[in-house]
Amino acid sequence: MGFLRSKTEVCAHAPEGVATPRADACEGCGSTFNLRLCTECGYVGCCESQQGHDRSHALEAGHPVIKSLPVADASFTWCYSCGRYV
Ligand SMILES: [Zn+2]
Ligand SMILES: [Zn+2]
Ligand SMILES: [Zn+2]
């Protein structure tokens, strides 16, 4: 509640570029599927339907913007701070 969700709102958290994944499995539990990438530092973590290590990292490190792996045109980008796809 309280967040503006208009489509024209710009996410102020997205970094200029996307960091290179620094692992090929979740750094928290070793999962190799449905991985997410921290666009800020390259941290690789599992999705929230697993142990949510990407979310843990985002909150602990203050790196709110993640991408789905592998990074491709079809990848989605999610900002935990904005709480929406960006
Ligand atoms: Zn944002
Ligand atoms: Zn994990
Ligand atoms: Zn990070």
Side-chain angles (χ1 to χ4, degrees):
M1 297 295 284
F3 290 111
L4 293 171
R5 301 265 171 140
S6 87
K7 284 183 177 175
T8 55
E9 185 189 5
V10 176
C11 170
H13 311 99
E16 290 287 309
V18 177
T20 304
R22 65 186 195 190
D24 54 12
C26 173
E27 295 182 41
C29 67
S31 172
T32 54
F33 62 97
N34 289 343
L35 298 176
R36 306 291 182 251
L37 166 71
C38 172
T39 59
E40 184 93 20
C41 70
Y43 177 93
V44 175
C46 57
C47 71
E48 288 179 66
S49 61
Q50 299 175 71
Q51 293 181 47
H53 285 119
D54 87 304
R55 185 170 188 275
S56 304
H57 170 79
L59 298 178
E60 285 168 14
H63 297 162
V65 182
I66 57 106
K67 256 185 172 311
S68 59
L69 282 173
V71 174
D73 288 344
S75 301
F76 66 76
T77 306
W78 176 265
C79 177
Y80 280 109
S81 190
C82 295
R84 62 181 172 85
Y85 295 101
V86 296

